[in-house]
Amino acid sequence: MSTLLISDLHLHPQAPEITAGFLAYLERARGAEALYILGDFFEAWIGDDLLALGDADPSGHAALAAEVARALASLAESGTAIYLMHGNRDFLLGDDYAAACGATLLPDPSVVEIDGQRLLLMHGDSLCTRDAAYMAFRAQARDPQWQAQILAMPIPERLALAQQLRDRSGEANSNKAEDIMDVTPDEVVRVMREHGVTTLIHGHTHRPALHPMELGGQPARRLVLGDWQPTKGWEIRLEAGQPPKLRDFPFDA
């Protein structure tokens, strides 16, 4: 049986092509042993209580969240284990929504063993240590007290705040050097050594690639998932006895 890993779908009501591609992908995923979604599943997540709004949410976020939860729950009921990890866009995603999806929330980072391989799974944003401004925001956004303050705001205010954060992020990133927004090599080595692994899988940077490495004289590798586009997605597929396979695929295939 295969294990599938994806990341950075950035699902949003204004990107229906990606949602349709993902729903079709879930149908093809039936029979997989597990599906791991490594963060930035949604472009923004303002709290699990959004689901209660249903059709009363004019932004379309509640309807999207409900549709996706139903599809994931159906896959889970068919026997595929589903795991969700927070990203830098959906760090407020909680246990209630995971339960609605039939999924388990994984901490970032997590070490999992699949077919005898120890893999370190991360979203990847914590590896970008050269981006001091972002790392400061990340520390704030992961603070439980700050999160509680945000979740106490009325939903319309949270939606407005999410849009403001997206706009600021886009403006800030446009003025940053490319290497600052990529992972810090020394941090990659540090976390892999800390967790005793030779394979790291993450997303976040939108720079899909397989990076061969060497750790302590042993061959190692870092696999980076790509972000989903209106016409295609990215996955890593693990099959018993085979190395991980990173590939992109068109939605109409």
Side-chain angles (χ1 to χ4, degrees):
M1 295 178 71
S2 59
T3 296
L4 309 173
L5 301 98
I6 59 177
S7 181
D8 296 275
L9 282 73
H10 295 271
L11 297 178
H12 191 276
Q14 295 177 3
E17 301 91 348
I18 298 177
T19 301
F22 175 62
L23 296 177
Y25 178 78
L26 292 184
E27 288 301 314
R28 296 194 298 273
R30 289 184 180 273
E33 184 171 350
L35 170 65
Y36 290 82
I37 304 174
L38 302 183
D40 283 4
F41 187 25
F42 290 91
E43 174 67 0
W45 190 262
I46 62 164
D48 292 5
D49 56 343
L50 177 71
L51 275 180
L53 288 183
D55 294 336
D57 169 31
S59 73
H61 285 83
L64 170 63
E67 181 179 28
V68 169
R70 287 193 297 269
L72 283 173
S74 176
L75 180 62
E77 289 168 3
S78 74
T80 298
I82 299 172
Y83 301 94
L84 299 174
M85 181 177 285
H86 292 128
N88 55 293
R89 299 283 187 177
D90 51 11
F91 52 83
L92 290 176
L93 196 150
D95 291 325
D96 288 348
Y97 188 69
C101 296
T104 300
L105 274 178
L106 284 182
D108 179 10
S110 284
V111 175
V112 301
E113 185 167 325
I114 300 173
D115 294 324
Q117 299 183 69
R118 278 173 49 85
L119 309 174
L120 176 59
L121 307 182
M122 306 178 70
H123 176 58
D125 58 328
S126 64
L127 300 170
C128 302
T129 58
R130 288 172 292 191
D131 190 344
Y134 171 71
M135 294 304 289
F137 169 75
R138 187 182 191 279
Q140 178 190 53
R142 299 309 192 275
D143 179 68
Q145 185 174 357
W146 185 86
Q147 291 187 0
Q149 292 174 349
I150 298 301
L151 292 173
M153 296 168 58
I155 286 179
E157 291 183 20
R158 279 183 263 157
L159 286 169
L161 176 61
Q163 184 62 51
Q164 290 174 13
L165 292 175
R166 289 173 61 204
D167 292 343
R168 290 177 190 170
S169 175
E171 292 172 3
N173 288 344
S174 67
N175 294 318
K176 292 177 182 175
E178 285 293 312
D179 62 327
I180 289 178
M181 293 187 292
D182 203 354
V183 300
T184 304
D186 288 348
E187 181 66 8
V188 169
V189 171
R190 187 193 70 78
V191 297
M192 292 181 72
R193 285 178 172 166
E194 177 185 344
H195 291 91
V197 299
T198 56
T199 299
L200 165 62
I201 297 175
H202 70 84
H204 178 65
T205 64
H206 301 183
R207 302 179 187 191
L210 167 59
H211 299 276
M213 303 169 55
E214 186 176 291
L215 283 177
Q218 299 293 321
R221 58 198 170 192
R222 176 171 67 93
L223 292 97
V224 186
L225 283 157
D227 60 314
W228 287 37
Q229 302 293 327
T231 59
K232 72 174 185 178
W234 284 88
E235 72 170 6
I236 290 173
R237 183 176 292 262
L238 303 175
E239 305 278 0
Q242 299 183 24
K245 296 179 181 178
L246 170 67
R247 74 177 189 109
D248 64 336
F249 55 90
F251 289 152
D252 57 2

